[in-house]
Short mmCIF file of all heavy atoms in Angstrom, two decimals:
data_model
loop_
_atom_site.label_atom_id
_atom_site.label_comp_id
_atom_site.label_asym_id
_atom_site.label_seq_id
_atom_site.Cartn_x
_atom_site.Cartn_y
_atom_site.Cartn_z
N MET A 1 96.55 117.58 104.12
CA MET A 1 96.55 116.26 104.84
C MET A 1 95.16 115.65 104.83
O MET A 1 94.27 116.13 105.47
CB MET A 1 97.17 116.31 106.21
CG MET A 1 98.46 116.66 106.38
SD MET A 1 99.47 115.29 105.92
CE MET A 1 101.13 116.26 105.71
N GLY A 2 94.98 114.66 104.04
CA GLY A 2 93.60 114.12 103.96
C GLY A 2 93.59 112.66 104.51
O GLY A 2 94.58 112.16 105.25
N ARG A 3 92.43 112.09 104.30
CA ARG A 3 92.29 110.72 104.87
C ARG A 3 93.16 109.78 104.34
O ARG A 3 93.66 108.74 104.93
CB ARG A 3 90.87 110.37 104.65
CG ARG A 3 90.46 109.07 105.30
CD ARG A 3 88.88 108.97 105.07
NE ARG A 3 88.44 107.57 105.43
CZ ARG A 3 87.95 107.28 106.61
NH1 ARG A 3 87.94 108.16 107.56
NH2 ARG A 3 87.56 106.04 106.83
N GLY A 4 93.58 109.90 102.99
CA GLY A 4 94.50 109.02 102.32
C GLY A 4 95.86 108.86 102.93
O GLY A 4 96.47 107.84 102.94
N SER A 5 96.33 110.01 103.46
CA SER A 5 97.65 109.87 104.03
C SER A 5 97.62 109.18 105.46
O SER A 5 98.62 108.48 105.70
CB SER A 5 98.21 111.33 104.30
OG SER A 5 97.41 112.07 105.25
N SER A 6 96.48 109.24 106.10
CA SER A 6 96.47 108.47 107.44
C SER A 6 96.40 107.03 107.10
O SER A 6 96.93 106.13 107.79
CB SER A 6 95.41 108.94 108.23
OG SER A 6 94.13 108.72 107.66
N ILE A 7 95.62 106.61 106.01
CA ILE A 7 95.36 105.23 105.57
C ILE A 7 96.74 104.71 105.17
O ILE A 7 97.11 103.54 105.50
CB ILE A 7 94.26 105.08 104.59
CG1 ILE A 7 92.98 105.40 105.08
CG2 ILE A 7 94.31 103.70 103.96
CD1 ILE A 7 91.86 105.52 104.25
N GLY A 8 97.48 105.51 104.40
CA GLY A 8 98.81 105.09 103.94
C GLY A 8 99.81 104.81 105.09
O GLY A 8 100.54 103.88 104.97
N GLY A 9 99.76 105.64 106.06
CA GLY A 9 100.60 105.53 107.18
C GLY A 9 100.26 104.23 107.96
O GLY A 9 101.23 103.50 108.43
N VAL A 10 99.03 103.96 108.12
CA VAL A 10 98.54 102.72 108.79
C VAL A 10 99.04 101.39 108.00
O VAL A 10 99.63 100.49 108.53
CB VAL A 10 97.07 102.60 109.01
CG1 VAL A 10 96.57 101.29 109.43
CG2 VAL A 10 96.67 103.68 109.99
N ILE A 11 98.95 101.47 106.65
CA ILE A 11 99.36 100.36 105.83
C ILE A 11 100.93 100.20 106.02
O ILE A 11 101.37 98.99 106.13
CB ILE A 11 98.90 100.72 104.38
CG1 ILE A 11 97.36 100.50 104.17
CG2 ILE A 11 99.66 99.63 103.47
CD1 ILE A 11 96.82 100.92 102.88
N ILE A 12 101.65 101.26 105.93
CA ILE A 12 103.15 101.18 106.11
C ILE A 12 103.45 100.58 107.50
O ILE A 12 104.28 99.74 107.60
CB ILE A 12 103.77 102.51 105.81
CG1 ILE A 12 103.70 102.92 104.33
CG2 ILE A 12 105.17 102.50 106.20
CD1 ILE A 12 104.06 104.35 104.08
N ALA A 13 102.81 101.10 108.48
CA ALA A 13 103.02 100.53 109.85
C ALA A 13 102.72 99.07 109.92
O ALA A 13 103.55 98.25 110.52
CB ALA A 13 102.21 101.34 110.86
N ILE A 14 101.64 98.62 109.44
CA ILE A 14 101.23 97.14 109.38
C ILE A 14 102.29 96.42 108.62
O ILE A 14 102.70 95.30 109.04
CB ILE A 14 99.86 96.96 108.80
CG1 ILE A 14 98.88 97.60 109.85
CG2 ILE A 14 99.55 95.48 108.58
CD1 ILE A 14 97.35 97.64 109.28
N TRP A 15 102.73 96.97 107.48
CA TRP A 15 103.79 96.27 106.59
C TRP A 15 105.08 96.05 107.42
O TRP A 15 105.65 94.94 107.43
CB TRP A 15 103.98 97.12 105.48
CG TRP A 15 105.01 96.64 104.31
CD1 TRP A 15 106.35 96.64 104.40
CD2 TRP A 15 104.71 95.84 103.18
NE1 TRP A 15 106.89 96.01 103.36
CE2 TRP A 15 105.88 95.60 102.51
CE3 TRP A 15 103.52 95.59 102.54
CZ2 TRP A 15 105.95 94.86 101.40
CZ3 TRP A 15 103.59 94.90 101.39
CH2 TRP A 15 104.70 94.60 100.76
N LEU A 16 105.50 97.11 108.08
CA LEU A 16 106.71 96.99 108.84
C LEU A 16 106.60 96.10 110.07
O LEU A 16 107.56 95.31 110.36
CB LEU A 16 107.12 98.38 109.28
CG LEU A 16 107.65 99.41 108.03
CD1 LEU A 16 107.97 100.73 108.64
CD2 LEU A 16 108.82 98.80 107.34
N ILE A 17 105.45 96.06 110.73
CA ILE A 17 105.20 95.20 111.86
C ILE A 17 105.27 93.81 111.39
O ILE A 17 105.85 92.88 112.02
CB ILE A 17 103.83 95.55 112.52
CG1 ILE A 17 104.00 96.87 113.27
CG2 ILE A 17 103.39 94.38 113.54
CD1 ILE A 17 102.66 97.34 113.73
N ILE A 18 104.64 93.46 110.18
CA ILE A 18 104.75 92.09 109.70
C ILE A 18 106.30 91.66 109.46
O ILE A 18 106.65 90.60 109.69
CB ILE A 18 103.98 91.96 108.41
CG1 ILE A 18 102.41 92.03 108.84
CG2 ILE A 18 104.16 90.69 107.74
CD1 ILE A 18 101.42 92.12 107.72
N GLY A 19 106.99 92.72 108.91
CA GLY A 19 108.33 92.39 108.62
C GLY A 19 109.20 92.07 109.96
O GLY A 19 110.12 91.26 110.09
N VAL A 20 108.86 92.79 111.07
CA VAL A 20 109.48 92.50 112.31
C VAL A 20 109.14 91.20 112.89
O VAL A 20 109.91 90.46 113.33
CB VAL A 20 109.07 93.59 113.37
CG1 VAL A 20 109.47 93.30 114.79
CG2 VAL A 20 109.64 94.89 112.97
N ILE A 21 107.83 90.77 112.71
CA ILE A 21 107.43 89.51 113.09
C ILE A 21 108.18 88.48 112.32
O ILE A 21 108.58 87.44 112.98
CB ILE A 21 105.87 89.32 112.92
CG1 ILE A 21 105.15 90.26 114.03
CG2 ILE A 21 105.35 87.87 113.15
CD1 ILE A 21 103.68 90.42 113.75
N ALA A 22 108.34 88.56 111.06
CA ALA A 22 109.05 87.59 110.28
C ALA A 22 110.48 87.52 110.63
O ALA A 22 111.04 86.32 110.75
CB ALA A 22 108.96 88.09 108.70
N ALA A 23 111.20 88.56 110.99
CA ALA A 23 112.52 88.57 111.43
C ALA A 23 112.59 87.80 112.79
O ALA A 23 113.62 87.22 113.05
CB ALA A 23 113.07 90.07 111.58
N GLY A 24 111.62 88.06 113.61
CA GLY A 24 111.69 87.42 114.92
C GLY A 24 111.45 85.93 114.74
O GLY A 24 112.11 85.10 115.43
N GLN A 25 110.59 85.43 113.86
CA GLN A 25 110.37 84.01 113.66
C GLN A 25 111.49 83.39 113.06
O GLN A 25 111.71 82.30 113.26
CB GLN A 25 109.13 83.92 112.65
CG GLN A 25 107.77 84.27 113.36
CD GLN A 25 106.62 84.20 112.48
OE1 GLN A 25 106.73 84.20 111.19
NE2 GLN A 25 105.40 83.95 112.98
N ARG A 26 112.42 84.07 112.33
CA ARG A 26 113.56 83.55 111.78
C ARG A 26 114.70 83.53 112.74
O ARG A 26 115.88 83.05 112.46
CB ARG A 26 113.92 84.26 110.39
CG ARG A 26 113.04 84.10 109.33
CD ARG A 26 113.38 84.79 108.11
NE ARG A 26 112.48 84.47 107.03
CZ ARG A 26 112.37 85.06 105.85
NH1 ARG A 26 113.27 86.00 105.68
NH2 ARG A 26 111.56 84.72 104.97
N GLY A 27 114.53 84.15 113.95
CA GLY A 27 115.48 84.12 115.02
C GLY A 27 116.64 85.13 114.82
O GLY A 27 117.69 84.95 115.38
N TYR A 28 116.34 86.14 113.98
CA TYR A 28 117.47 87.20 113.77
C TYR A 28 117.66 87.99 115.05
O TYR A 28 118.83 88.57 115.23
CB TYR A 28 117.01 88.08 112.69
CG TYR A 28 116.87 87.33 111.25
CD1 TYR A 28 116.26 87.99 110.33
CD2 TYR A 28 117.71 86.27 110.95
CE1 TYR A 28 116.19 87.31 109.04
CE2 TYR A 28 117.61 85.58 109.79
CZ TYR A 28 116.83 86.18 108.83
OH TYR A 28 116.86 85.55 107.60
N PHE A 29 116.79 88.04 116.00
CA PHE A 29 116.97 88.93 117.18
C PHE A 29 117.55 88.08 118.39
O PHE A 29 117.89 88.72 119.44
CB PHE A 29 115.65 89.55 117.66
CG PHE A 29 115.08 90.52 116.68
CD1 PHE A 29 113.76 90.15 116.00
CD2 PHE A 29 115.69 91.42 116.05
CE1 PHE A 29 113.17 90.95 115.12
CE2 PHE A 29 115.22 92.39 115.18
CZ PHE A 29 113.85 92.05 114.67
N ASP A 30 117.75 86.77 118.15
CA ASP A 30 118.13 85.89 119.30
C ASP A 30 119.73 85.96 119.67
O ASP A 30 120.03 85.79 120.76
CB ASP A 30 117.70 84.54 118.99
CG ASP A 30 116.22 84.27 119.01
OD1 ASP A 30 115.52 85.18 119.51
OD2 ASP A 30 115.79 83.24 118.43
N SER A 31 120.47 86.20 118.58
CA SER A 31 121.94 86.08 118.72
C SER A 31 122.45 87.43 119.31
O SER A 31 122.07 88.47 118.94
CB SER A 31 122.45 85.72 117.41
OG SER A 31 123.93 85.70 117.45
N ASP A 32 123.64 87.21 120.06
CA ASP A 32 124.39 88.36 120.43
C ASP A 32 125.41 88.83 119.43
O ASP A 32 126.02 89.84 119.51
CB ASP A 32 125.08 88.09 121.78
CG ASP A 32 124.15 87.97 122.95
OD1 ASP A 32 122.99 88.60 122.85
OD2 ASP A 32 124.44 87.41 123.97
N ASP A 33 125.54 88.02 118.40
CA ASP A 33 126.63 88.32 117.38
C ASP A 33 126.01 89.37 116.45
O ASP A 33 125.22 89.25 115.66
CB ASP A 33 126.80 86.97 116.43
CG ASP A 33 127.89 87.18 115.49
OD1 ASP A 33 128.75 87.89 115.61
OD2 ASP A 33 127.73 86.51 114.45
N ALA A 34 126.64 90.58 116.65
CA ALA A 34 126.19 91.75 115.83
C ALA A 34 127.23 92.06 114.84
O ALA A 34 128.44 92.22 115.22
CB ALA A 34 125.96 92.85 116.86
N ASN A 35 126.91 92.15 113.60
CA ASN A 35 127.86 92.52 112.58
C ASN A 35 127.07 93.20 111.44
O ASN A 35 125.86 93.23 111.43
CB ASN A 35 128.63 91.38 112.00
CG ASN A 35 127.81 90.20 111.59
OD1 ASN A 35 126.68 90.38 110.88
ND2 ASN A 35 128.14 89.01 111.87
N CYS A 36 127.74 93.61 110.40
CA CYS A 36 127.06 94.37 109.36
C CYS A 36 126.07 93.50 108.53
O CYS A 36 125.01 93.95 108.20
CB CYS A 36 128.21 94.92 108.46
SG CYS A 36 127.71 95.57 106.84
N ALA A 37 126.51 92.27 108.30
CA ALA A 37 125.65 91.35 107.57
C ALA A 37 124.32 91.10 108.27
O ALA A 37 123.25 91.02 107.64
CB ALA A 37 126.33 90.06 107.20
N LYS A 38 124.49 90.83 109.62
CA LYS A 38 123.25 90.51 110.33
C LYS A 38 122.39 91.67 110.41
O LYS A 38 121.13 91.59 110.37
CB LYS A 38 123.63 90.07 111.78
CG LYS A 38 122.43 89.69 112.59
CD LYS A 38 122.75 88.93 113.82
CE LYS A 38 121.60 88.58 114.54
NZ LYS A 38 121.44 87.20 114.77
N ALA A 39 122.89 92.88 110.64
CA ALA A 39 122.07 94.16 110.73
C ALA A 39 121.41 94.44 109.38
O ALA A 39 120.20 94.68 109.31
CB ALA A 39 122.88 95.32 111.11
N GLY A 40 122.15 94.17 108.27
CA GLY A 40 121.62 94.41 106.91
C GLY A 40 120.52 93.48 106.79
O GLY A 40 119.40 93.84 106.15
N THR A 41 120.64 92.15 107.10
CA THR A 41 119.57 91.17 106.79
C THR A 41 118.32 91.50 107.54
O THR A 41 117.22 91.34 107.01
CB THR A 41 120.23 89.84 107.26
OG1 THR A 41 121.27 89.39 106.36
CG2 THR A 41 119.16 88.83 107.12
N ILE A 42 118.45 91.96 108.87
CA ILE A 42 117.33 92.23 109.63
C ILE A 42 116.61 93.44 108.97
O ILE A 42 115.36 93.52 108.88
CB ILE A 42 117.80 92.62 111.09
CG1 ILE A 42 118.22 91.38 111.74
CG2 ILE A 42 116.57 93.35 111.81
CD1 ILE A 42 118.89 91.68 113.25
N VAL A 43 117.37 94.40 108.52
CA VAL A 43 116.73 95.61 107.92
C VAL A 43 115.89 95.22 106.66
O VAL A 43 114.61 95.64 106.51
CB VAL A 43 117.64 96.69 107.68
CG1 VAL A 43 117.12 97.90 106.78
CG2 VAL A 43 118.22 97.28 108.92
N VAL A 44 116.56 94.53 105.80
CA VAL A 44 115.80 94.23 104.51
C VAL A 44 114.67 93.22 104.79
O VAL A 44 113.67 93.17 104.09
CB VAL A 44 116.63 93.64 103.48
CG1 VAL A 44 117.76 94.79 102.98
CG2 VAL A 44 117.38 92.31 103.75
N THR A 45 114.77 92.37 105.80
CA THR A 45 113.66 91.46 106.15
C THR A 45 112.51 92.37 106.60
O THR A 45 111.37 92.11 106.21
CB THR A 45 114.08 90.43 107.20
OG1 THR A 45 115.08 89.63 106.72
CG2 THR A 45 112.97 89.56 107.62
N ILE A 46 112.77 93.26 107.37
CA ILE A 46 111.62 94.08 107.90
C ILE A 46 110.97 94.98 106.78
O ILE A 46 109.84 95.07 106.71
CB ILE A 46 112.14 95.14 108.99
CG1 ILE A 46 112.48 94.18 110.24
CG2 ILE A 46 111.10 96.14 109.33
CD1 ILE A 46 113.11 95.03 111.41
N ILE A 47 111.80 95.47 105.87
CA ILE A 47 111.27 96.21 104.70
C ILE A 47 110.55 95.36 103.86
O ILE A 47 109.54 95.79 103.21
CB ILE A 47 112.55 96.95 104.03
CG1 ILE A 47 113.04 98.04 104.88
CG2 ILE A 47 112.04 97.58 102.70
CD1 ILE A 47 114.32 98.61 104.43
N ALA A 48 110.93 94.11 103.59
CA ALA A 48 110.24 93.16 102.67
C ALA A 48 108.78 92.84 103.26
O ALA A 48 107.92 92.50 102.53
CB ALA A 48 111.05 91.90 102.56
N GLY A 49 108.61 92.93 104.61
CA GLY A 49 107.28 92.82 105.19
C GLY A 49 106.62 91.54 104.79
O GLY A 49 107.25 90.44 104.94
N PRO A 50 105.44 91.63 104.34
CA PRO A 50 104.60 90.46 104.04
C PRO A 50 105.31 89.58 102.91
O PRO A 50 104.84 88.35 102.78
CB PRO A 50 103.26 91.04 103.58
CG PRO A 50 103.15 92.27 104.14
CD PRO A 50 104.58 92.82 104.19
N LEU A 51 106.16 90.16 102.10
CA LEU A 51 106.71 89.31 101.09
C LEU A 51 107.55 88.21 101.56
O LEU A 51 107.71 87.14 100.82
CB LEU A 51 107.61 90.24 100.19
CG LEU A 51 106.93 91.39 99.53
CD1 LEU A 51 107.98 92.19 98.79
CD2 LEU A 51 105.90 90.89 98.58
N ASN A 52 107.91 88.23 102.90
CA ASN A 52 108.63 87.24 103.55
C ASN A 52 107.78 85.89 103.51
O ASN A 52 108.41 84.77 103.40
CB ASN A 52 108.98 87.59 104.97
CG ASN A 52 110.14 88.59 105.07
OD1 ASN A 52 111.26 88.43 104.76
ND2 ASN A 52 109.70 89.81 105.49
N TYR A 53 106.48 85.92 103.58
CA TYR A 53 105.73 84.81 103.79
C TYR A 53 105.32 84.34 102.25
O TYR A 53 104.59 83.32 102.18
CB TYR A 53 104.39 85.18 104.60
CG TYR A 53 104.70 85.53 105.95
CD1 TYR A 53 104.81 86.78 106.43
CD2 TYR A 53 105.14 84.55 106.77
CE1 TYR A 53 105.07 87.05 107.73
CE2 TYR A 53 105.42 84.80 108.19
CZ TYR A 53 105.40 86.03 108.59
OH TYR A 53 105.81 86.24 109.81
N LEU A 54 105.77 85.09 101.25
CA LEU A 54 105.58 84.59 99.89
C LEU A 54 106.82 84.06 99.41
O LEU A 54 106.90 83.72 98.06
CB LEU A 54 105.16 85.73 98.96
CG LEU A 54 103.83 86.37 99.47
CD1 LEU A 54 103.56 87.67 98.48
CD2 LEU A 54 102.65 85.31 99.28
N GLY A 55 107.83 83.73 100.25
CA GLY A 55 109.06 83.06 99.75
C GLY A 55 110.29 83.96 99.70
O GLY A 55 111.29 83.39 99.44
N VAL A 56 110.18 85.23 99.83
CA VAL A 56 111.30 86.15 99.85
C VAL A 56 112.14 85.98 101.01
O VAL A 56 111.58 85.88 102.19
CB VAL A 56 110.86 87.64 99.70
CG1 VAL A 56 111.99 88.59 99.84
CG2 VAL A 56 110.02 87.81 98.49
N ASN A 57 113.37 85.78 100.76
CA ASN A 57 114.28 85.50 101.99
C ASN A 57 115.50 86.36 101.78
O ASN A 57 116.58 85.82 101.44
CB ASN A 57 114.65 84.06 102.27
CG ASN A 57 115.39 83.79 103.42
OD1 ASN A 57 115.52 84.53 104.34
ND2 ASN A 57 115.88 82.56 103.59
N PRO A 58 115.36 87.62 102.04
CA PRO A 58 116.60 88.64 101.75
C PRO A 58 117.74 88.38 102.73
O PRO A 58 117.51 88.06 103.98
CB PRO A 58 116.01 89.88 101.98
CG PRO A 58 114.81 89.77 102.88
CD PRO A 58 114.33 88.34 102.62
N LYS A 59 118.84 88.30 102.20
CA LYS A 59 120.12 88.24 102.89
C LYS A 59 121.12 89.37 102.53
O LYS A 59 121.23 89.62 101.34
CB LYS A 59 120.87 86.90 102.76
CG LYS A 59 120.00 85.70 103.15
CD LYS A 59 120.16 85.45 104.74
CE LYS A 59 119.38 84.15 104.94
NZ LYS A 59 119.34 83.90 106.34
N ILE A 60 121.84 89.75 103.42
CA ILE A 60 122.84 90.82 103.10
C ILE A 60 124.24 90.22 103.55
O ILE A 60 124.44 89.81 104.54
CB ILE A 60 122.60 92.22 103.83
CG1 ILE A 60 121.27 92.73 103.41
CG2 ILE A 60 123.83 93.13 103.56
CD1 ILE A 60 121.23 93.28 101.99
N ASN A 61 125.18 90.34 102.52
CA ASN A 61 126.48 90.01 102.86
C ASN A 61 127.51 91.22 102.74
O ASN A 61 127.30 91.98 101.78
CB ASN A 61 127.13 88.95 101.89
CG ASN A 61 126.43 87.64 102.11
OD1 ASN A 61 126.13 87.20 103.15
ND2 ASN A 61 126.16 86.96 100.96
N CYS A 62 128.23 91.53 103.76
CA CYS A 62 129.07 92.68 103.67
C CYS A 62 130.34 92.35 104.41
O CYS A 62 130.31 91.63 105.46
CB CYS A 62 128.48 93.91 104.18
SG CYS A 62 128.06 93.86 105.92
N GLU A 63 131.39 92.78 103.91
CA GLU A 63 132.77 92.62 104.49
C GLU A 63 133.37 93.93 104.82
O GLU A 63 133.52 94.76 103.85
CB GLU A 63 133.66 91.68 103.76
CG GLU A 63 133.14 90.32 103.60
CD GLU A 63 133.97 89.34 102.86
OE1 GLU A 63 135.34 89.70 102.79
OE2 GLU A 63 133.54 88.41 102.29
N LEU A 64 133.69 94.18 106.02
CA LEU A 64 134.36 95.53 106.28
C LEU A 64 135.83 95.28 106.18
O LEU A 64 136.35 94.27 106.50
CB LEU A 64 134.01 95.92 107.74
CG LEU A 64 132.58 96.14 107.94
CD1 LEU A 64 132.24 96.47 109.41
CD2 LEU A 64 131.99 97.29 107.12
N PRO A 65 136.55 96.37 105.62
CA PRO A 65 138.02 96.38 105.59
C PRO A 65 138.66 96.18 107.02
O PRO A 65 138.18 96.80 107.97
CB PRO A 65 138.45 97.52 104.88
CG PRO A 65 137.18 98.44 105.00
CD PRO A 65 136.06 97.66 105.22
N GLN A 66 139.74 95.38 107.13
CA GLN A 66 140.43 95.20 108.31
C GLN A 66 141.40 96.29 108.45
O GLN A 66 141.99 96.82 107.53
CB GLN A 66 141.06 93.89 108.41
CG GLN A 66 140.22 92.67 108.31
CD GLN A 66 139.17 92.70 109.56
OE1 GLN A 66 139.64 92.86 110.52
NE2 GLN A 66 137.93 92.30 109.20
N PRO A 67 141.58 96.83 109.70
CA PRO A 67 142.65 97.90 109.87
C PRO A 67 144.02 97.38 109.58
O PRO A 67 144.34 96.19 109.84
CB PRO A 67 142.45 98.30 111.39
CG PRO A 67 141.72 97.11 111.92
CD PRO A 67 140.95 96.53 110.91
N SER A 68 144.82 98.22 109.11
CA SER A 68 146.25 97.80 108.91
C SER A 68 146.96 97.66 110.23
O SER A 68 146.68 98.35 111.14
CB SER A 68 146.93 98.89 107.97
OG SER A 68 146.94 100.09 108.53
N LYS A 69 148.00 96.86 110.17
CA LYS A 69 148.82 96.57 111.43
C LYS A 69 149.92 97.41 111.49
O LYS A 69 150.66 97.87 110.61
CB LYS A 69 149.20 95.21 111.50
CG LYS A 69 147.94 94.23 111.68
CD LYS A 69 148.35 92.79 111.82
CE LYS A 69 147.03 91.90 112.01
NZ LYS A 69 147.35 90.55 112.15
#
């Protein structure tokens, strides 16, 4: 474990923090409506990190099968 691994960890942490800030600015955490698409969109927005500020606007669409009656 060298100095490079700690620097890499700090860079990844900053990247993800920027992603959380971007998701918050887009209002993804404001709604009580929880579903697969919203959760997926939040996750990919956080992973995209600073790319959100370069025009990346990831969205996830998913449809879960309905139970039979």
Side-chain angles (χ1 to χ4, degrees):
M1 294 284 167
R3 184 174 172 94
S5 64
S6 64
I7 292 173
V10 169
I11 290 171
I12 290 172
I14 292 170
W15 183 278
L16 295 175
I17 290 168
I18 292 171
V20 169
I21 292 169
Q25 288 176 337
R26 291 182 177 168
Y28 293 159
F29 300 121
D30 295 342
S31 173
D32 289 336
D33 181 32
N35 59 41
C36 172
K38 183 167 181 128
T41 298
I42 290 171
V43 169
V44 296
T45 299
I46 292 171
I47 292 171
L51 298 177
N52 289 291
Y53 296 103
L54 297 175
V56 175
N57 189 10
K59 298 274 185 185
I60 299 291
N61 293 320
C62 61
E63 294 183 26
L64 298 174
Q66 297 297 318
S68 59
K69 293 182 180 182

